[in-house]
Amino acid sequence: MKILYACCAVLIGFSALYAQKIPEKGVPWIDNYTIDQYKSHGKIWEISSAGNGIVYMAGDAGLLEFDGITWNRFKGSKGYTRSLLLAGDSLIYTGSDLDFGIWKKNKYQQFEYTSLYPFRKDPNEENEEFWHVYRVRDNILFISFNNIYIYKNKQLTRIAAPTRFSGCFQDHEKIYLADEKNGVYVFNGLSLKLLFAYPGNLPMQIAGVYEKSGQLTIVTKNRGLFLYDSGDLKPLSSGVSRYLQKDQVFCSTLINNSYYAFGTILNGLYITDLDGNIVQHINKQKGLPNNTVLSMHCAADGWLWLGMDYGISAIHLFNDITYFFDYKGEFGTAYAALLKDGVFYLGTNQGLYKAEWRHLNNNADTKPFTLISGSEGQVWALKDIDGTIYCGHDKGLFAVNGNSCRRIHDEPGVWTFLPYNDDYLLTGNYNGVSVFKKAGNGVVFLKKLDLILGSCNQLIREGNNVLWVNIPNFGLIRFALNNDLFPENRQIFPSSQFAGNALNLLTDDKGIALLTDERRYRFDPQKKQFDLQGENALPGRVTGLLDGIYRPVRIDTNYQFYPIYNGFALGNTSIASQPNHQGCTLLIRKMEAFNNQARQLIAPNASVPYPLNNLSFQFVVPHKNGVSYQYQLQNYSEEWSKWTTGHVLDFLHLEEGDYTLKLRAGMDGAVVCSTEVSFSISPPWYRSGLAYLAYVLLAFLVYFLIREWQNFRLREQKRKLLIKEQNSLQEQAERFKQEALIDKQQQLEHEKSLLKQQVKQKNIELVKQARENRNKNRILHILKEKINEVQRDPAAGKMRWAEIKRLLDMYLETDDKTFEIQIDELHQEMFKKLRAQFPDLSLYDLRLCAYLKIGLNSKEISEMLKVLPSSINVSRSRLRKKLNLQHDEDLYGFLNQIS
């Protein structure tokens, strides 16, 4: 459906163009674009426009796209892009150096390139450059100097050039190819057929072939125009032919089947009718950036696009407004104009100029204007009154006569004229209003109006004798002029009473109106006041119009004069200007979702992630001026926005949901086109469908886990109770077992203690017995020896018996130390360890340690040593200090640890 609308728009646009004429006087408006603006180096070799109004260009840096506001560049093949063919708004074929291919838009409205060229560079062959791409029915033709490649049903067929193609041209369904040597061929879809050979076998450099009524117009690069008819090729005599021979044609095109356009290398652009008569000649002196035109294309909206040697130009051919810019400083900025008897008078800041009206046709490089002698200086106004041309000048009031002018009055600064009744002429001056009385064929100064002071740049008549004066920076004065030419009933309207600046009085069928640069007012004679009518829609049809009181002035039935900066403009009312909104399309050029960290292109009907819930939309009505936009975002606001000239919309922090953005464009107070796009914002992950499903599953999981946990707790409680009971029983068993063991151990300890006591007693008894036995044996032995001596010597018997008696007495009385000696012998190992650790221990201390180790208490030790028990206690305390024992340490346990 969108394609159908676009096609309808194109057909409507072209049908409108067919009914239009290109103005002959002045230069149509030109937009010039530099490399810095379209950000692509090199030259533009071919230009075309899509049905939606977007212009595409093949250039050295790739494929260019321009919608009137934004330039986009797409790089496909490595070489220079030489040619292009638009098969639709989203499908483009291009040819380049050693490559050709197809561009298709992706879902983000960005072009992506696919090469169709089947070969790669062969150093043994000449590199192919594809300068032409055409469509003939279902065939796509890629044409280089050497070959024709026919692309159909994804298959390629190659047809070689007879010698080498020097040019290729399409006229309707026919393709004409100029061969360097043989002549011009016509391609019938399958093969080449020689149409005509070059006359005299002299090759011709052809720049265009156009068919009209069975005849062919042949455009050559440096030999002018030729006509081919019924096998006969002859030069075509026309007004432009001699210029084309001199200026060297590089490209050409047919405009609406009504005009030819020729782009030259040396002198810019020529536009002619079909008979070769020059309608427009535009070069660098008239607004182009340079004089070399490399490519051209006439779009459906009437703009003629030119690829220049440096830069790009767009000419609004069919606008009824044309311009005369003073690029050479020949006449300056115009303020007034008058057309009389075929002579055009122009008042500028430099003086009064005149030119033949027919010489204003832009068909040659001429200098039509000449300065009228004596008029040097600022000219403010021109008016034809009773056959005499009056000139309002900075130096006074002048009358124009042929090539000279005569000063009538020397009061400086005449702004405006107003004939009053049949006898007077009023002039608004730098200071007040002057009254002139008609006398013969002229006028003479009569007086200055009383009570009117200041610079009066406008005089307006409301009724028979009611006048208005506009005084800048002061206001308006309304008064009645009596028979004595005295202003009565003055009413002052200060400028502060009105919004805006540059007050301008107008009169029409409804009465007096006032315009400022912001508002419109209408004077009510009954109330004697101005009523606000609304905002002032400043005219946008004329570019550079002077501010303030300077409005269009009709100079004849078909033309209006517009004062503009550095020149003037003419409006041809006999030319029906194409409506600005005809054939327009509102396009959404880019959709982006973004946040502080990232930006992401999105497609229509896309689902945007919630973290990127800030959206930006770029939209435009391609190549239309004075467009305002209005939008409504459904599910966000049901109200339409205010009209704005901006072409970018940003929506921040959108909630999740489905949205539809509706856009409409307005021009000249009417809605001319609209579009809409839908998208959705995905909920945040924690509010998504999967999240809710996860929440449900999680709830079931939590319920299951809680239930399992409760069951687990019950099982654990049961298990713990069972374990507790088991442990309790086990503890009871262990306790009983421990008690039994303790009882058994106590019993064993008791038995051990008894055994120790018995062993100790036995040891003591054994030691005592052993000592007694040794002592007895020793005494018996001594007694035996003494008896033997008595037997051997009876005489000494008495003495020996005495000795025996003493021995017995001594044995009985002598303190026996044998026990101590036995104790020392039993504990030698312990004594060594104690001496090693405690070298300060005495023999007494060592024996005390031995006595204590074998279990003797203090009383028992004191009896053996025949001392008091208290002495033993003191000795024990001293021993503890020498052994470095604390009060809570057991001396007996310490000694038992030392084996």
Side-chain angles (χ1 to χ4, degrees):
M1 185 62 70
K2 291 184 178 179
I3 296 175
L4 178 61
Y5 289 157
C7 293
C8 291
V10 173
L11 291 175
I12 292 172
F14 275 118
S15 63
L17 292 182
Y18 291 149
Q20 288 184 312
K21 291 175 57 179
I22 297 177
E24 297 179 354
K25 297 183 185 298
V27 179
W29 178 256
I30 303 173
D31 284 326
N32 292 317
Y33 303 95
T34 65
I35 289 177
D36 291 336
Q37 289 175 282
Y38 56 84
K39 295 179 176 61
S40 178
H41 69 277
K43 306 180 190 307
I44 302 300
W45 299 111
E46 189 165 4
I47 306 172
S48 187
S49 59
N52 57 17
I54 297 179
V55 176
Y56 295 91
M57 306 173 191
D60 289 352
L63 179 66
L64 284 179
E65 178 189 64
F66 184 47
D67 59 15
I69 296 176
T70 304
W71 291 90
N72 293 315
R73 180 168 64 90
F74 306 98
K75 185 65 176 176
S77 58
K78 294 181 180 179
Y80 293 167
T81 303
R82 305 289 189 179
S83 56
L84 61 83
L85 169 68
L86 267 66
D89 295 343
S90 304
L91 184 64
I92 302 175
Y93 296 94
T94 58
S96 57
D97 296 345
L98 202 64
D99 193 14
F100 57 79
I102 184 171
W103 298 82
K104 293 182 180 179
K105 278 187 177 181
N106 59 23
K107 62 181 181 179
Y108 304 114
Q109 301 300 304
Q110 303 294 308
F111 277 104
E112 295 177 347
Y113 179 75
T114 302
S115 175
L116 302 176
Y117 188 58
F119 309 108
R120 289 295 172 259
K121 183 176 179 181
D122 186 349
N124 297 321
E125 296 183 3
E126 181 180 358
N127 293 338
E128 289 191 285
E129 297 176 356
F130 293 90
W131 286 86
H132 308 281
V133 185
Y134 297 116
R135 183 171 190 167
V136 179
R137 293 180 292 276
D138 295 332
N139 299 328
I140 305 297
L141 277 58
F142 300 95
I143 303 175
S144 69
F145 293 127
N146 305 320
N147 299 287
I148 300 174
Y149 292 86
I150 305 172
Y151 180 70
K152 182 178 182 181
N153 298 329
K154 299 184 179 180
Q155 300 294 324
L156 283 173
T157 303
R158 181 167 65 172
I159 300 176
T163 305
R164 187 174 188 270
F165 294 131
S166 59
C168 183
F169 317 97
Q170 184 177 26
D171 187 74
H172 297 92
E173 291 294 319
K174 293 182 179 180
I175 304 296
Y176 299 94
L177 297 104
D179 187 75
E180 280 189 350
K181 295 182 180 180
N182 300 337
V184 175
Y185 289 81
V186 62
F187 181 71
N188 60 12
L190 296 175
S191 62
L192 295 171
K193 178 183 177 182
L194 183 64
L195 185 64
F196 63 83
Y198 297 131
N201 292 323
L202 295 176
M204 300 172 66
Q205 292 181 316
I206 297 178
V209 178
Y210 302 97
E211 183 178 359
K212 177 186 176 185
S213 302
Q215 299 175 330
L216 293 181
T217 300
I218 309 298
V219 184
T220 67
K221 292 187 176 182
N222 52 15
R223 295 172 61 179
L225 302 178
F226 286 78
L227 183 66
Y228 177 77
D229 184 18
S230 302
D232 185 23
L233 182 67
K234 60 183 179 181
L236 182 62
S237 298
S238 64
V240 75
S241 191
R242 62 187 178 91
Y243 293 104
L244 300 183
Q245 293 179 34
K246 175 175 61 73
D247 295 333
Q248 299 186 29
V249 179
F250 190 86
C251 58
S252 63
T253 189
L254 181 64
I255 301 175
N256 305 335
N257 291 325
S258 301
Y259 299 94
Y260 291 123
F262 305 98
T264 71
I265 295 176
L266 301 179
N267 203 11
L269 172 71
Y270 289 91
I271 298 178
T272 71
D273 58 20
L274 296 182
D275 295 326
N277 300 311
I278 299 176
V279 177
Q280 284 282 339
H281 174 224
I282 307 172
N283 56 15
K284 184 176 181 180
Q285 295 178 352
K286 298 177 183 178
L288 293 179
N290 54 73
N291 282 328
T292 301
V293 182
L294 301 178
S295 58
M296 65 176 67
H297 166 71
C298 185
D301 57 5
W303 287 87
L304 180 64
W305 291 85
L306 305 179
M308 309 300 295
D309 182 64
Y310 176 86
I312 300 168
S313 297
I315 305 173
H316 200 175
L317 287 180
F318 297 99
N319 200 324
D320 60 323
I321 305 296
T322 55
Y323 297 83
F324 295 79
F325 287 106
D326 186 20
Y327 293 112
K328 301 178 182 179
E330 294 178 350
F331 54 85
T333 297
Y335 289 83
L338 181 69
L339 180 61
K340 182 179 181 181
D341 299 331
V343 178
F344 180 70
Y345 295 90
L346 184 68
T348 76
N349 63 322
Q350 298 179 181
L352 179 62
Y353 293 83
K354 74 172 187 176
E356 292 293 326
W357 181 243
R358 59 187 175 85
H359 288 166
L360 294 186
N361 289 359
N362 187 33
N363 55 7
D365 290 331
T366 60
K367 296 181 180 180
F369 290 103
T370 58
L371 180 65
I372 295 177
S373 177
S375 69
E376 293 85 353
Q378 176 70 57
V379 175
W380 294 115
L382 290 171
K383 197 169 186 67
D384 182 5
I385 302 175
D386 298 331
T388 300
I389 297 176
Y390 291 94
C391 173
H393 199 282
D394 176 67
K395 297 177 182 178
L397 178 64
F398 288 79
V400 180
N401 183 15
N403 293 325
S404 63
C405 56
R406 175 180 58 86
R407 182 154 54 186
I408 297 173
H409 187 56
D410 60 357
E411 181 180 359
V414 177
W415 286 105
T416 186
F417 306 102
L418 178 65
Y420 183 71
N421 296 334
D422 295 329
D423 300 324
Y424 301 100
L425 174 66
L426 306 181
T427 63
N429 304 322
Y430 286 170
N431 187 16
V433 176
S434 296
V435 181
F436 293 85
K437 183 175 177 60
K438 294 181 181 180
N441 294 327
V443 296
V444 294
F445 177 74
L446 181 63
K447 59 175 288 188
K448 297 275 291 186
L449 282 185
D450 297 327
L451 304 179
I452 305 297
L453 301 175
S455 183
C456 302
N457 64 5
Q458 277 188 293
L459 286 172
I460 300 293
R461 190 169 185 172
E462 180 183 352
N464 290 331
N465 66 334
V466 178
L467 304 180
W468 288 82
V469 176
N470 184 1
I471 303 176
N473 300 318
F474 173 76
L476 308 176
I477 301 177
R478 182 178 184 264
F479 60 92
L481 203 60
N482 63 16
N483 293 331
D484 296 327
L485 302 180
F486 182 83
E488 298 178 334
N489 303 321
R490 289 186 309 145
Q491 185 178 3
I492 298 175
F493 300 90
S495 57
S496 59
Q497 179 179 331
F498 308 101
N501 300 308
L503 275 63
N504 182 29
L505 280 170
L506 300 174
T507 181
D508 54 25
D509 296 339
K510 297 180 180 180
I512 299 297
L514 175 67
L515 296 181
T516 72
D517 58 1
E518 295 181 7
R519 299 286 189 271
R520 293 182 293 109
Y521 298 88
R522 174 69 64 178
F523 181 72
D524 188 341
Q526 303 298 325
K527 300 179 182 178
K528 293 186 178 181
Q529 66 182 22
F530 282 92
D531 295 328
L532 179 63
Q533 300 292 301
E535 296 185 358
N536 181 18
L538 295 177
R541 296 182 62 244
V542 179
T543 303
L545 189 68
L546 293 179
D547 295 331
I549 63 173
Y550 304 102
R551 297 292 170 180
V553 176
R554 184 169 291 279
I555 57 178
D556 76 350
T557 56
N558 292 327
Y559 283 93
Q560 285 184 316
F561 165 81
Y562 296 86
I564 64 173
Y565 293 102
N566 195 35
F568 66 96
L570 293 178
N572 189 344
T573 57
S574 66
I575 296 178
S577 180
Q578 179 187 4
N580 188 35
H581 56 78
Q582 189 167 1
C584 68
T585 305
L586 178 55
L587 303 176
I588 296 177
R589 301 285 286 138
K590 182 190 283 189
M591 298 169 56
E592 277 190 318
F594 65 95
N595 55 26
N596 291 333
Q597 290 76 35
R599 301 186 76 89
Q600 176 181 314
L601 291 173
I602 60 174
N605 302 312
S607 180
V608 181
Y610 188 80
L612 298 173
N613 63 342
N614 306 304
L615 267 68
S616 176
F617 298 86
Q618 294 184 20
F619 47 88
V620 68
V621 176
H623 303 289
K624 296 295 182 182
N625 298 320
V627 183
S628 297
Y629 300 96
Q630 203 177 27
Y631 68 89
Q632 178 194 60
L633 183 60
Q634 292 183 347
N635 199 23
Y636 181 80
S637 174
E638 298 304 319
E639 299 293 329
W640 283 92
S641 69
K642 294 183 178 179
W643 290 100
T644 176
T645 57
H647 63 281
V648 177
L649 280 178
D650 289 335
F651 297 99
L652 305 179
H653 309 301
L654 294 177
E655 295 295 331
E656 68 265 26
D658 297 327
Y659 295 88
T660 298
L661 175 64
K662 293 185 175 182
L663 292 166
R664 57 190 183 190
M667 285 183 278
D668 302 326
V671 176
V672 294
C673 50
S674 62
T675 188
E676 64 181 47
V677 63
S678 298
F679 62 93
S680 63
I681 303 294
S682 300
W685 64 267
Y686 51 85
R687 287 206 296 266
S688 64
L690 289 176
Y692 288 123
L693 177 61
Y695 297 151
V696 172
L697 294 177
L698 183 61
F700 280 114
L701 180 61
V702 170
Y703 170 75
F704 175 77
L705 291 177
I706 292 175
R707 183 176 178 181
E708 288 298 313
W709 181 66
Q710 290 177 341
N711 293 335
F712 173 76
R713 287 189 61 188
L714 290 174
R715 290 194 301 269
E716 282 295 304
Q717 289 178 354
K718 291 179 179 179
R719 186 180 64 83
K720 288 181 179 180
L721 288 174
L722 180 61
I723 293 175
K724 185 175 181 181
E725 292 177 359
Q726 292 176 349
N727 290 339
S728 177
L729 294 175
Q730 188 173 0
E731 286 177 359
Q732 291 180 3
E734 289 292 333
R735 186 167 59 253
F736 294 150
K737 185 177 179 180
Q738 290 292 331
E739 291 176 355
L741 288 175
I742 290 172
D743 293 341
K744 184 67 175 178
Q745 187 175 2
Q746 289 178 351
Q747 182 180 357
L748 292 174
E749 287 293 333
H750 179 68
E751 293 176 353
K752 181 180 177 182
S753 177
L754 293 177
L755 290 174
K756 283 184 177 180
Q757 290 293 331
Q758 292 177 2
V759 170
K760 182 177 68 173
Q761 188 65 32
K762 293 296 182 179
N763 285 335
I764 294 173
E765 292 178 356
L766 287 173
V767 172
K768 288 181 178 181
Q769 186 64 39
R771 184 187 63 182
E772 292 176 355
N773 290 337
R774 282 194 298 272
N775 289 336
K776 289 178 178 180
N777 290 334
R778 182 173 57 82
I779 292 299
L780 290 174
H781 181 70
I782 293 173
L783 290 176
K784 179 179 179 181
E785 289 180 352
K786 293 298 184 181
I787 293 172
N788 290 334
E789 289 180 2
V790 173
Q791 289 177 353
R792 284 191 305 265
D793 188 7
K798 187 178 181 179
M799 183 179 60
R800 301 302 178 198
W801 287 113
E803 289 177 3
I804 290 171
K805 183 180 180 181
R806 281 196 309 277
L807 286 172
L808 292 172
D809 292 337
M810 184 177 59
Y811 173 76
L812 294 174
E813 296 175 1
T814 301
D815 187 12
D816 190 0
K817 302 294 183 182
T818 303
F819 178 74
E820 291 81 354
I821 295 172
Q822 294 294 331
I823 289 299
D824 293 342
E825 290 177 354
L826 290 173
H827 297 88
Q828 286 299 316
E829 290 298 325
M830 185 185 72
F831 290 166
K832 289 180 181 180
K833 292 180 180 180
L834 287 174
R835 284 195 185 98
Q837 296 182 30
F838 310 101
D840 294 336
L841 294 177
S842 63
L843 180 59
Y844 178 77
D845 294 329
L846 294 173
R847 288 177 177 171
L848 182 57
C849 290
Y851 295 153
L852 291 173
K853 185 177 180 182
I854 65 174
L856 299 180
N857 55 32
S858 298
K859 182 178 179 181
E860 292 172 338
I861 296 172
S862 64
E863 291 178 352
M864 290 182 61
L865 297 180
K866 299 180 180 179
V867 293
L868 294 174
S870 58
S871 298
I872 299 302
N873 291 332
V874 173
S875 297
R876 290 181 63 166
S877 298
R878 291 174 181 171
L879 179 60
R880 290 177 64 86
K881 290 181 180 180
K882 290 182 180 182
L883 295 177
N884 299 322
L885 296 179
Q886 300 299 323
H887 294 290
D888 56 345
E889 290 186 89
D890 182 32
L891 178 58
Y892 175 76
F894 175 78
L895 293 177
N896 281 328
Q897 292 177 359
I898 300 175
S899 57

